[in-house]
Amino acid sequence: MPGIVVFRRRWSVGSDDLVVPGVFLLILHSIWLVVLSVIYGVVGTREEGYACWSGLREHVVGYLVILSGCVVVEFCIAHVAMRGTILDPSPRASMQYLLYVRLCVLVAELVWVVRGVVWLSQHYQTCTSQAAKDAILGIVVCNWCVLVSVVITVWCTFDAAGRSWVKMKRYQRSMRDSHSKFQYRRSGNRNRNWRQRKVLRAYQDSWDHRCRLLFCCMGKSDDARNSFSDIARLLSEFFRDLDVVPSDVVAGLVLLRKYQKLNRQDIVKSSKNDVYEFLSGVPITPRTRFLQLSSLEGKEEFEKIVHYMRFALAIYGWPMFVVSSSSIEVCKMCPLLKCWRCCFSSEGEPEVVEDNCCGCNVAAFRMMAPSEGMDLVYVTYHVDVGETPFFVALDHRRRAIVISIRGTLSMKDVITDLNAESEPLPMDTIKEDWLGHKGMVSAAEYIRRKLREDDILNRAFRFDTTRGTQLYDLVLVGHSLGAGTAAILAILLKQEHPNLSCFAYSPPGGLLSMPAAEYTRAFITSVVVGKDVVPRIGLHQMEAMRADLINAIQRSRDPKWKTIASSFRCCGAWEDSGGEAEEFSTTRAAMRDHASHPSDSSIALTVHQPLFPPGRILHVVRHHPNKRQRWMRTPKPVYQAVWRDNQDFDEVLISPCMIQDHMPDQVLKALEKVLSHSKDPPTPRSPPTNSEPRLHTLANQSDVYAYV
């Protein structure tokens, strides 16, 4: 950070990113330099024995000279790349000139590689020196690989708007350095805005091109093109005027995880609060509300949550079943396959839309969904931008009609996820302050339209009137994208179905505005596991994380390579020698409020209205008993459930399990472990020591956070 400027163009790579390539090429070319030197010495002493040596000697000497130049230049590149810090590239100012020199050497390499290919084609069969032939063949192949990797790297780091960026930055510097307001009469604020708009438009086109390239298999529908444009505009606005490269984000995440961990340790040690410990990032205090599984009502409620999670998992179809099941269970699914489904459909079969010919998705559904007392009415696996698969089934065991909506499983679902700006909910009476995630609002409207046009709900209510299906409650479930869509659909259908309830598993954080989220607390229950990143992700949360990343990078005094290397256990542990974590925590709120550019406070970054996850939120957390006893084998964690507020998920917790905790099969396993641990006797906590008087005070309140 910032991106390096070469040939008057900004590139999507920093000068401090060249440490690893420089060291790798330095080692590679040093090895070949030694090998060719040995070959030259051995063959040169017996040159009269080889008829091809006269032509080979010139070629080997040329390679030795080129490799020597490569070693010197690459050593300088690696050395210079290690200097400075992430935000201070001035010690690396000579990097662009080293790259110019390395480019000249690369051209010489290309010429010599071509000569090597010509020599091999003419003398490989006739030359009697096998070692020399193999060495030349090896270095030619190696150099071709290096040249191809350089071309790929240039293609990946090419910034289409890089030239416009350089011009804009040069103009901004000239305006700051100008002491006379009349010095640039033709370049006032209006021209400055024009330059910024030009760069912003260039980056928007660049993001749009990336989206079209990434989702090239989706077709060219109008909905897809409009979604690409919206996402490109959103991303270009989000990164507006931020001169960052991908490795800066990686280093920022490493630093952010470090500061978050040190901050939690400081909070626990501090005597100014009543936080006893952190479980999956949740501060545990005497006021923490654990789910009381010891009571009959609490246990029945949680069993219902676990029960409907199986419906949310079943809509994912055969891909999720194959991933989450053993080979024996997959074999048990084979008798349920109906490979003649495309040619034959018996009466009484549920209506199935766009499943494959063998009915793999429906077969997997029957394996994953609760089989006892369940009838499938309708299922569609049609997917498009803003159109998600779902099924309607009858749960006779709990006397409910279940609508389960699938989460993200295809590239079209990803587009729906990324269409994250807010828009008013399409209710009969529009409320301006009731906002929702745009992509999921579209998906909810699609499902409501399908339910009405195909008369699906009425068919479900009339499915078996002798069993009283007309009196069944309506339950909506979903995971991830499906959870957000189910929550919005529940709001839209609540007036028609007063007994409606919804279970949203791992819902997105940027889903509903606060008035709408407060309204859903009466009939929606959300479930979050551990440090799942999705319930903490929304435009507002991403902007907060952007401010935290900038803040963390500004506090860092180490070069980028050292920062990233510190995340590996073999490269050393984290230490807060200079009070960076405390300084980061002190300035975090101010950085989030101002949302200003790290190098130019006059540039304001984007700020979106906060959106929150829906309903009441049950957070499944992990407790690691005896985690301080390093000499013991790490015991299995104990899973517990805690009630949280909607505003508590305003910060992304950087953790290795932040993605794993979101997977639907892992969510179901975590919920089942909460039930299994509720049957075990409580595990006694370690008694507090004399040096921990505050923990001793909380010891009598262990029933608040004991295993319930």
Side-chain angles (χ1 to χ4, degrees), residues 290-535:
F290 281 86
L291 179 66
Q292 298 299 323
L293 293 179
S294 56
S295 66
L296 181 61
E297 181 181 358
K299 189 170 184 179
E300 288 180 351
E301 181 180 12
F302 194 78
E303 286 177 345
K304 183 186 293 186
I305 292 174
V306 178
H307 175 75
Y308 285 117
M309 178 60 210
R310 295 188 174 93
F311 284 91
L313 184 66
I315 186 58
Y316 278 95
W318 70 265
M320 182 58 63
F321 179 73
V322 171
V323 170
S324 60
S325 304
S326 63
S327 56
I328 297 177
E329 292 176 324
V330 174
C331 293
K332 291 180 180 179
M333 186 185 73
C334 294
L336 299 177
L337 299 177
K338 297 181 179 180
C339 294
W340 58 88
R341 178 178 297 277
C342 59
C343 307
F344 174 77
S345 180
S346 61
E347 293 185 3
E349 287 282 324
E351 182 180 353
V352 180
V353 179
E354 294 193 21
D355 195 2
N356 54 36
C357 189
C358 292
C360 296
N361 287 305
V362 175
F365 162 81
R366 299 190 183 280
M367 293 293 296
M368 290 189 287
S371 58
E372 182 181 354
M374 190 273 297
D375 286 309
L376 182 62
V377 177
Y378 175 90
V379 58
T380 173
Y381 294 99
H382 166 76
V383 60
D384 203 345
V385 177
E387 300 178 1
T388 58
F390 69 96
F391 71 73
V392 178
L394 290 108
D395 181 11
H396 300 293
R397 177 183 172 187
R398 295 189 178 271
R399 298 183 62 81
I401 295 175
V402 182
I403 301 176
S404 179
I405 305 172
R406 198 186 75 181
T408 303
L409 194 62
S410 69
M411 301 303 285
K412 295 179 180 179
D413 294 329
V414 174
I415 293 297
T416 304
D417 289 327
L418 292 177
N419 202 0
E421 290 195 290
S422 60
E423 70 174 18
L425 298 181
M427 304 177 64
D428 296 334
T429 303
I430 301 296
K431 299 182 179 181
E432 296 297 333
D433 57 345
W434 285 34
L435 305 176
H437 183 288
K438 184 176 181 180
M440 297 176 193
V441 168
S442 300
E445 285 187 289
Y446 158 75
I447 296 177
R448 181 176 65 170
R449 185 170 61 254
K450 291 289 293 183
L451 294 176
R452 290 176 175 176
E453 292 177 354
D454 297 349
D455 200 32
I456 298 173
L457 282 183
N458 288 333
R459 285 158 48 191
F461 281 114
R462 298 192 304 264
F463 186 83
D464 189 355
T465 55
T466 59
R467 303 179 68 171
T469 56
Q470 71 275 12
L471 301 177
Y472 280 11
D473 295 332
L474 184 62
V475 178
L476 279 67
V477 302
H479 170 266
S480 187
L481 166 63
T485 304
I488 295 176
L489 181 62
I491 297 175
L492 302 182
L493 298 179
K494 182 62 176 176
Q495 299 299 323
E496 302 176 23
H497 304 276
N499 293 332
L500 177 147
S501 60
C502 175
F503 296 93
Y505 303 92
S506 306
L511 184 66
L512 297 173
S513 59
M514 182 50 68
E518 289 288 345
Y519 170 74
T520 61
R521 292 176 65 87
F523 57 93
I524 295 180
T525 300
S526 295
V527 177
V528 178
V529 173
K531 297 182 179 179
D532 184 358
V533 65
V534 173

